[in-house]
Amino acid sequence: MRPRHGFVALAVATLALLGAGAAAGSNGGLTPIDPSSPNADRITGIYWFILGFTGFIFLVVEISLILFVVRYRRRGRPSDQEGPQIRGNTRLEYAWTLAPVLILAAIAAFVFYKLPGIKNVPAASAQGARIDVTVEAHRFYWEYRYSNGVVAVDALRAPVGVPVALTLVAPKDDVIHSWWIPAFGGKTDVIPGHTNHTWFQAEKTGTFRGQCAEFCGVQHAAMLASVQVLPAARFRAWLASEQKAQAKGDGRLGAETWAGACAKCHGQQAQGLVGPDLRGNSLLADRNGLETLIRNGRGEMPPVAETWKENQVTALFGYVKRTFAKASSGG
Amino acid sequence: MAVRAEPLLVPWYRGRVASWVTTTDHKRIGILYIATSLFFFGAGGILALLMRAQLATPNEKFLTRNSYDEVFTMHGTTMIFLVVVPILAGFGNYLVPLMIGARDVAFPRLNAFSYWMFLLGGIVLYSSWFSTGGAPKAGWTSYVPLSELTSGSGQDLWILSLHILTISSFAGAVNFLATIHNMRTRGMTWMRLPLFVWAIETYSILLVLVLPVLGAGLTLLLLDRQAGTHFFLPDKGGSALLYQHVFWFFGHPEVYIMVLPAMGIVSEVLPVFARKPIFGYAAIAFSTVGIAFFSMLVWAHHMFAVGLPWGLQSFFMISSMAVAIPTGVKIFNWLATIWRGNVSFATPMLFALGFIGVFTIGGLSGIFLAAFPFDWQVTDTYFVVAHLHYVLFGGSMFGIFAGLYYWWPKMFGRVLDERLGKASFWLMLVGFNVAFFPQHMLGLLGMPRRIYTYYHHGYWEAYNLTSTIGSGIMALGVLAFVVNVVVTSRVGRRAGNDPWLADTLEWYTTSPPPPHNFDRVPYVTSARPLRDLRRRLAEERA
């Protein structure tokens, strides 16, 4: 009898430790990353609900396994001595068929209960009306388009407390990517030829990180995304000033585009990485040549700029000229 | 002269090597399958260790990006198509005729053809390392459009290899079905069939149902790549999603193809070492069929993040959860089999018990993945990597090792060393959990699968390093098995016909059995013919 108590105590202690660890928060990966959006909150709720049941089943199975193994081990008995020849029990079979049915029905019901709050985008919140952003996934960067025409690359800016509806698309000749900021809920694949939707409503300011979650080729691991959540007023101010700056082919767009669309393969200093070294390359000083190349691609290089408006090409060219002109004239 | 001349030379096809090349004996073919699969298991394992080395620390430069992509693609393809499926075919080949009291499979030459196609498929796949552009690098799933846009011949060799393996498995499955349906010995009714044979029957039905679908998908992929069609290319009017439906219509039943026979092995091993009959024979047999049935209806749970209509997502959630019910039935029946038994811990039993303990975790994490809103959070992350390894290593491979230790004496006449066997089990059990449990946490922390490096320190680094250490411990466990095989082949204890006092017909004949298997097959009166014989002998003696 003693070993049985020992194992039960051990199992209970392990469970308590796990529970305490999990209760301490999302740290350590015992729960999904701290949710910071109502849909992510609800998904984490589903996680806890399922963990309750599966944790219970886990304990039932593992504890009975260990108990039976300890209790019914051979000890001094001859190895050919038979146990009782029990062939089954119909009632037990019904019981352990029906109990899981009920548990799974409960889980499914809970999922359906939470689902509307996860899939439906609120039209507005106390902080303001919903804003819409198109997310266009490319090998290997994210392009964001706000409804006023402002473009951003990899780093999305969003207001706190306001629902942000994302329309997810990819150019038809690209590959499948998957949009995922863990704190803002589940991932949504971005599939050429399909349009998908998701949303978030950031509960606090700060920077939230994620990355492409569908293998998309050689620089999949470098296809990072971030969302910088700003106070609503600051966001609106930024969006308005960025609109003016981008209309002039100015602002941060050039630098962002270089870092997102070019540098992942050619290096931040154009020193070459997956793609060739571009230092001293005459195309960097040839606006038309550069535009033809990036809009059409060449060999292994995808047509990174196929969907850009003219001002994004201008912004990139401006950045390239400012940054690499000195280097190439010196070299 | 009436004297018949004796040939001076043994004919060439009786030579030591040639006799294996020309054999149509199901036992030799089974051993060829198992040996070849174990060789590929070593290769796939080395690939896994390379990946774990690359991921041990952030910004690691051990492998290049391209090699990492090649390595994970080859690891997945190898383990699924060249290890788990064919090694189970190997067990099926060796055991099914013996267990049902037959002299061979229904079509011995087709059987040899299946094996040689398997070997050819493996060689074609591995030749891709030397082809233009190197090995395939679009993952074992080879999702389009990525797999259509990658240049080089690696992807084409991948398609060719899978086509060949598909033919091999299909022919093998037809052979199993014909054998089980037509060649059972007298008295071997369906409800007296060993549960492993039930599992192989179901495995074969699933293969026959889904392999043609894979073959069709592969053909369309090949046409797109080589003949200018555009079934899957969105920019020319094709559908990228269509490929995923086709692939997973095959791919999900494939999971059960890899798990059900391993479960069958566990159902054979547990009663022998608990000295009890299997608890709920009919429930286990029918739950095998039930799992296979549901497995055909769940494919799109691999696609919850692609934006399916809500009705479909709900349907696939419920059907996926339904698979858990027959799976649970099996686990509870196994537990009830040990209950009140006389349990001894020979290595096969340890692996079978390990299977129950570890597979349960994989089954339970599957319930999380079936709940589609939660699936959006963890799909394509290390949570899924953990889940599938709990099912396919903790499940299938533990079952396979149980089978190797259990039937080794029958195949080679010598019992594997118990001390090395136990060391191997404990190293694998501990190493496996250390390697894969933390990957659940990595997934919840946001680490996607198939990335060649990561930039986070802290928990990401800690869990990744732990996982790498665990993979090393697992490798030691596998090494202990290899040492065991090498050592035992010379000095192992002789097995005799029935070293474990088992229940099924394969233990009635000698170890190893003669080419014709049995001189005489006893009339079968229950699911445990050998136990019946032992009791009759004891009664006669008394």
Side-chain angles (χ1 to χ4, degrees), chain B residues 174-332:
Chain B
V174 169
N175 218 338
F176 283 133
L177 289 175
T179 309
I180 297 170
H181 282 256
N182 297 311
M183 299 175 70
R184 304 192 306 276
T185 190
R186 292 169 309 143
M188 181 66 82
T189 61
W190 284 98
M191 296 314 284
R192 292 175 190 163
L193 210 53
L195 286 165
F196 177 75
V197 181
W198 266 104
I200 290 292
E201 164 84 13
T202 318
Y203 154 103
S204 306
I205 293 173
L206 279 178
L207 282 170
V208 168
L209 288 174
V210 300
L211 283 174
V213 180
L214 174 67
L218 291 170
T219 306
L220 299 186
L221 185 61
L222 183 68
L223 288 173
D224 272 11
R225 281 182 62 85
Q226 299 297 338
T229 60
H230 30 73
F231 294 103
F232 302 135
L233 288 172
D235 56 331
K236 301 193 180 72
S239 165
L241 268 188
L242 175 63
Y243 177 84
Q244 295 189 19
H245 281 290
V246 171
F247 186 83
W248 289 116
F249 186 82
F250 148 80
H252 199 83
E254 174 83 349
V255 175
Y256 295 96
I257 286 166
M258 293 187 279
V259 170
L260 290 175
M263 289 174 155
I265 294 173
V266 171
S267 303
E268 295 299 331
V269 170
L270 287 175
V272 171
F273 294 93
R275 309 309 305 156
K276 279 184 63 195
I278 189 85
F279 194 93
Y281 170 94
I284 292 185
F286 295 147
S287 65
T288 304
V289 181
I291 291 174
F293 173 77
F294 285 121
S295 80
M296 303 286 297
L297 301 174
V298 301
W299 76 88
H301 74 215
H302 295 266
M303 302 165 59
F304 279 148
V306 305
L308 297 172
W310 301 110
L312 274 185
Q313 303 216 32
S314 307
F315 171 81
F316 282 107
M317 170 176 74
I318 291 167
S319 61
S320 306
M321 286 179 168
V323 182
I325 296 163
T327 311
V329 167
K330 278 181 188 288
I331 288 175
F332 293 125

Side-chain angles (χ1 to χ4, degrees), chain A residues 59-112:
Chain A
L59 288 178
V60 168
V61 172
E62 306 289 346
I63 291 176
S64 9
L65 178 65
I66 292 170
L67 274 182
F68 293 171
V69 160
V70 173
R71 172 72 182 77
Y72 301 111
R73 70 187 189 282
R74 182 151 64 88
R75 280 194 199 125
R77 288 184 278 178
S79 62
D80 61 346
Q81 181 185 321
E82 293 191 329
Q85 301 296 299
I86 308 163
R87 283 157 205 287
N89 181 309
T90 311
R91 274 198 207 161
L92 268 176
E93 300 291 346
Y94 282 131
W96 57 48
T97 307
L98 212 61
V101 170
L102 296 178
I103 289 176
L104 293 169
I107 292 175
F110 191 75
V111 169
F112 288 128

Side-chain angles (χ1 to χ4, degrees), chain A residues 216-232:
Chain A
C216 58
V218 63
Q219 276 297 46
H220 170 55
M223 191 165 165
L224 307 178
S226 67
V227 178
Q228 198 184 349
V229 178
L230 304 168

Side-chain angles (χ1 to χ4, degrees), chain B residues 296-538:
Chain B
M296 303 286 297
L297 301 174
V298 301
W299 76 88
H301 74 215
H302 295 266
M303 302 165 59
F304 279 148
V306 305
L308 297 172
W310 301 110
L312 274 185
Q313 303 216 32
S314 307
F315 171 81
F316 282 107
M317 170 176 74
I318 291 167
S319 61
S320 306
M321 286 179 168
V323 182
I325 296 163
T327 311
V329 167
K330 278 181 188 288
I331 288 175
F332 293 125
N333 277 299
W334 289 331
L335 288 174
T337 304
I338 323 169
W339 175 68
R340 297 185 63 194
N342 178 18
V343 182
S344 50
F345 302 110
T347 311
M349 185 62 165
L350 288 179
F351 275 104
L353 294 170
F355 176 103
I356 301 176
V358 176
F359 179 80
T360 298
I361 299 175
L364 292 174
S365 59
I367 294 175
F368 286 90
L369 292 165
F372 58 91
F374 184 73
D375 178 86
W376 301 333
Q377 189 62 264
V378 288
T379 185
D380 267 313
T381 69
Y382 266 83
F383 189 91
V384 171
V385 177
H387 164 72
L388 74 92
H389 283 91
Y390 267 87
V391 172
L392 291 182
F393 197 101
S396 302
M397 283 315 292
F398 272 45
I400 285 164
F401 273 105
L404 284 170
Y405 279 93
Y406 181 61
W407 283 297
W408 196 270
K410 180 54 61 184
M411 293 176 181
F412 301 103
R414 289 179 193 270
V415 183
L416 285 169
D417 183 68
E418 274 293 306
R419 264 183 314 173
L420 274 169
K422 286 184 173 137
S424 159
F425 167 74
W426 287 108
L427 284 168
M428 270 196 239
L429 183 75
V430 171
F432 171 78
N433 283 293
V434 171
F436 290 107
F437 201 82
Q439 294 189 357
H440 292 109
M441 280 88 108
L442 279 171
L444 290 170
L445 287 172
M447 181 167 171
R449 59 197 289 204
R450 296 175 170 177
I451 52 174
Y452 70 88
T453 193
Y454 53 95
Y455 316 97
H456 300 252
H457 292 267
Y459 281 120
W460 281 44
E461 184 175 11
Y463 287 140
N464 271 301
L465 189 59
T466 310
S467 182
T468 303
I469 292 168
S471 69
I473 302 174
M474 279 167 81
L476 290 179
V478 176
L479 209 61
F481 170 75
V482 175
V483 172
N484 202 344
V485 167
V486 173
V487 171
T488 324
S489 67
R490 287 163 194 275
V491 299
R493 178 165 66 83
R494 294 276 178 190
N497 288 8
D498 185 11
W500 311 118
L501 297 178
D503 295 335
T504 37
L505 275 183
E506 75 272 27
W507 305 102
Y508 181 66
T509 182
T510 55
S511 308
H516 57 282
N517 290 352
F518 303 96
D519 293 331
R520 195 174 59 85
V521 187
Y523 186 84
V524 177
T525 51
S526 79
R528 303 160 81 199
L530 268 256
R531 179 172 175 275
D532 298 344
L533 280 179
R534 275 198 304 275
R535 294 190 59 190
R536 211 176 306 150
L537 279 176

